[in-house]
Amino acid sequence: MEIGPYKLSTPLLVAPMAGVTDRPFRTLCLRMGAGMAVSEMMSSNPRVWQSEKSLRRMDHEGETGIRSVQIAGADPVLMAEAARFNVDQGAQIIDINMGCPAKKVNKKMAGSALLQFPELVQEIVSAVVNAVTVPVTLKIRTGWDPDNRNGVHIARIAEDNGIRALAVHGRTRACMYRGEAEYDTIRAVKQAVSIPVIANGDIDSPEKARFVLDYTGADAIMIGRAAQGRPWIFREIRHYLEQGTTPAPLPKDQERAMIREHVAALHAFYGEVMGVRIARKHVGWYLQGSDAGRDFRSDFNALDEAGHQLDSLEQYFANIA
């Protein structure tokens, strides 16, 4: 799949997730077979651009792959300014967030709340596209609620105003993450526009990835929550799509080395205090579903030093080997 001048090595994208898709996580997913990883959402409010959180989200130092940065907001002028600012910081693709269902985002009329106002959608898309020379993409949901699935209408607005690729999550804003994603709307969107369409929602296995691609006709798939604690899902899906067979599981020693490497990268990226805190949730995801890991996670979450976390992981893996 191509987005402007950029050709993805594989039709697998990492969904932008606040507090998750930081540089260490993106790097890991790309190494595991993702074709592109979209960074965490950046606010269009210029007053927060110099905050520690924003500066860290803009940090692409040493990062391989295509640098796609997502921006969020409801004011066309501020969104255009945010797009220019992030391109100046190294963004190669700007992604507009109209898919986030979070209340704190929607109460500012940003994220998926914008789907209620197609005219404002057009103004924002047009302003951002005209503000930068890099490709602009858009992420949406199927609509505001099940009675107002206007994804096809929004998709046509996006295409008419210069969007180069469109990601569609198969739920409405009202659905949040409840129930199962539906792919009929994504299929209808694909049939309605000629720009690349990326299917998103509940894709958690190689077989499901193949089904969604075939059913919707989408050009690529985007994976979010299923990659939490399982970044090697991109390796599994890529192999299945290319070879038609399920790959052998990642060897346990490689899996454990990757977890240790990820935790150490979080410590280095965030610093010891914040890195230790953020590592806790990732280790929780990695060990989720493991009976042996249940008690360990409780002990691990009580550790407040980076070295102790790494030593603890080493001992845990040695005990279960």
Side-chain angles (χ1 to χ4, degrees), residues 121-175:
V121 169
Q122 181 173 355
E123 290 178 23
I124 291 172
V125 167
S126 179
V128 172
V129 168
N130 290 323
V132 294
T133 57
V134 304
V136 178
T137 60
L138 175 65
K139 189 169 192 290
I140 66 171
R141 286 190 164 226
T142 56
W144 176 249
D145 59 38
D147 294 326
N148 295 279
R149 287 195 173 100
N150 61 344
V152 170
H153 181 45
I154 298 296
R156 288 181 173 140
I157 290 173
E159 181 177 40
D160 291 344
N161 287 272
I163 289 296
R164 304 296 290 273
L166 178 70
V168 186
H169 183 104
R171 289 181 174 87
T172 67
R173 188 274 166 186
C175 294

Side-chain angles (χ1 to χ4, degrees), residues 106-251:
N106 280 219
K107 71 180 182 181
K108 299 177 182 177
M109 295 313 300
S112 55
L114 290 166
L115 300 176
Q116 301 171 96
F117 308 103
E119 291 184 0
L120 182 55
V121 169
Q122 181 173 355
E123 290 178 23
I124 291 172
V125 167
S126 179
V128 172
V129 168
N130 290 323
V132 294
T133 57
V134 304
V136 178
T137 60
L138 175 65
K139 189 169 192 290
I140 66 171
R141 286 190 164 226
T142 56
W144 176 249
D145 59 38
D147 294 326
N148 295 279
R149 287 195 173 100
N150 61 344
V152 170
H153 181 45
I154 298 296
R156 288 181 173 140
I157 290 173
E159 181 177 40
D160 291 344
N161 287 272
I163 289 296
R164 304 296 290 273
L166 178 70
V168 186
H169 183 104
R171 289 181 174 87
T172 67
R173 188 274 166 186
C175 294
M176 300 294 286
Y177 295 100
R178 297 185 298 270
E180 296 181 358
E182 58 92 7
Y183 305 112
D184 289 332
T185 303
I186 300 176
R187 181 168 61 175
V189 166
K190 176 57 186 173
Q191 294 170 350
V193 298
S194 59
I195 57 176
V197 172
I198 304 153
N200 175 228
D202 291 357
I203 301 170
D204 56 5
S205 70
E207 294 79 9
K208 187 67 172 289
R210 180 77 272 169
F211 166 77
V212 172
L213 284 170
D214 291 343
Y215 185 81
T216 64
D219 302 274
I221 56 173
M222 178 174 276
I223 297 173
R225 290 174 296 159
Q228 294 174 357
R230 191 183 162 197
W232 45 84
I233 190 174
F234 295 101
R235 167 188 174 272
E236 297 169 356
I237 293 176
R238 182 170 185 168
H239 184 280
Y240 190 84
L241 295 180
E242 293 177 353
Q243 306 295 329
T245 59
T246 302
L250 192 69

Side-chain angles (χ1 to χ4, degrees), residues 24-25 28 31 229 231-232 250-269 275-276 278-280 282-284 286-287 296 300 305-321:
F25 188 76
L28 190 54
R31 200 175 82 209
W232 45 84
L250 192 69
K252 285 297 182 183
D253 60 335
Q254 293 184 30
E255 182 180 308
R256 292 164 185 167
M258 189 180 305
I259 295 171
R260 291 193 297 266
E261 178 186 338
H262 188 187
V263 170
L266 291 169
H267 296 159
F269 185 68
V276 163
I278 292 173
R280 292 168 183 160
H282 284 279
V283 168
Y286 280 121
L287 303 183
F296 170 77
F300 184 85
E305 293 185 21
H308 290 169
Q309 283 192 333
L310 292 171
D311 291 343
S312 178
L313 273 174
E314 197 71 40
Q315 185 61 51
Y316 170 73
F317 290 142
N319 289 341
I320 65 173

Side-chain angles (χ1 to χ4, degrees), residues 14 25-37 63-65:
V14 185
F25 188 76
R26 295 195 304 272
T27 299
L28 190 54
C29 291
L30 290 169
R31 200 175 82 209
M32 283 289 100
M36 189 172 82
E63 189 171 345
T64 60

